[in-house]
Amino acid sequence: MATVMAPALAFASSSGSPGAIPPGFLLYEKAAAQKSATGMWSVSQARDAKLVVNPCYTGSPAAAGRIAARTVTYVAVSDQRSEQVILYNSPKAAAQALADVRRALVRCPALQTSQTAYRYSGTPLALGDEGLAVSGQLYQGGKAKVGGERVVLTRRGNALVAYARSGEWGAPDKTDFAHQTKDAHTMLAKICQVARCS
């Protein structure tokens, strides 16, 4: 569904187009341009790309009000990483997008099988204007098993930034988010080149 931007909401980006995320802007696009012997990289500029974390498994949270998105994904046998920058038509819409994820963490049940459950949880993160650290984890008999994902989501102005890693995680730990948090800090330092930060 197309989003019409009022002239007052338009802003300049380094590509010269209002609300655009220029090629090469994301941190891992250079790596994605190289051949990998161990996994596969992909880059998408689809505005309706699914958010890299989805506690409800259906649809996609944080979809309303988007004007641009860029996603880099790496997939290997036991490792998956995603980097995503999404621009919204206002800071309020971006804040609503992050609120959508928070609500999904509360209202959406764990994915159950006869022996296991895959659960999401989130904690606030002091990053950007607001942030969220999300864990997805496989459990069996109430104990964490190998397998999960760790995602850092942060907002600055009308931009939502996400860094996700999936793989053979054990029980959730704060240190699981170190790499994603570092990447988010790096992106936040330049996101105002394309986002409305004031």
Side-chain angles (χ1 to χ4, degrees):
M1 182 176 181
T3 302
V4 178
M5 281 180 60
L9 294 177
F11 52 92
S13 75
S14 56
S15 70
S17 301
I21 302 169
F25 187 77
L26 272 63
L27 305 182
Y28 288 94
E29 286 190 71
K30 185 175 181 180
Q34 308 298 317
K35 296 243 181 187
S36 171
T38 57
M40 182 179 298
W41 289 94
S42 63
V43 180
S44 169
Q45 59 183 6
R47 188 174 59 187
D48 61 351
K50 288 188 176 182
L51 191 67
V52 297
V53 61
N54 186 0
C56 296
Y57 305 102
T58 59
S60 180
R66 293 182 182 186
I67 56 175
R70 199 163 186 86
T71 307
V72 177
T73 303
Y74 173 79
V75 179
V77 174
S78 59
D79 181 24
Q80 181 171 324
R81 304 172 216 164
S82 298
E83 175 185 27
Q84 193 169 50
V85 172
I86 304 172
L87 300 181
Y88 292 84
N89 55 26
S90 69
K92 182 178 179 180
Q96 182 63 51
L98 196 54
D100 287 349
V101 178
R102 289 194 194 96
R103 275 194 300 276
L105 288 168
V106 173
R107 70 179 176 83
C108 296
L111 183 64
Q112 301 273 358
T113 69
S114 59
Q115 296 184 335
T116 64
Y118 193 88
R119 297 190 187 99
Y120 283 94
S121 61
T123 57
L125 195 62
L127 193 60
D129 294 335
E130 55 181 330
L132 187 64
V134 178
S135 292
Q137 185 65 43
L138 182 68
Y139 291 89
Q140 184 174 17
K143 294 183 179 180
K145 306 301 287 184
V146 173
E149 60 197 288
R150 306 291 184 264
V151 186
V152 165
L153 290 167
T154 182
R155 178 186 68 83
R156 177 157 287 165
N158 71 320
L160 192 64
V161 173
Y163 287 91
R165 285 192 160 194
S166 301
E168 297 180 350
W169 297 98
D173 187 273
K174 288 182 180 180
T175 60
D176 297 345
F177 297 94
H179 200 284
Q180 299 91 312
T181 301
K182 180 181 177 182
D183 285 343
H185 273 294
T186 302
M187 177 54 69
L188 288 173
K190 68 173 190 170
I191 195 65
C192 295
Q193 296 174 27
V194 299
R196 292 177 62 212
C197 294
S198 59

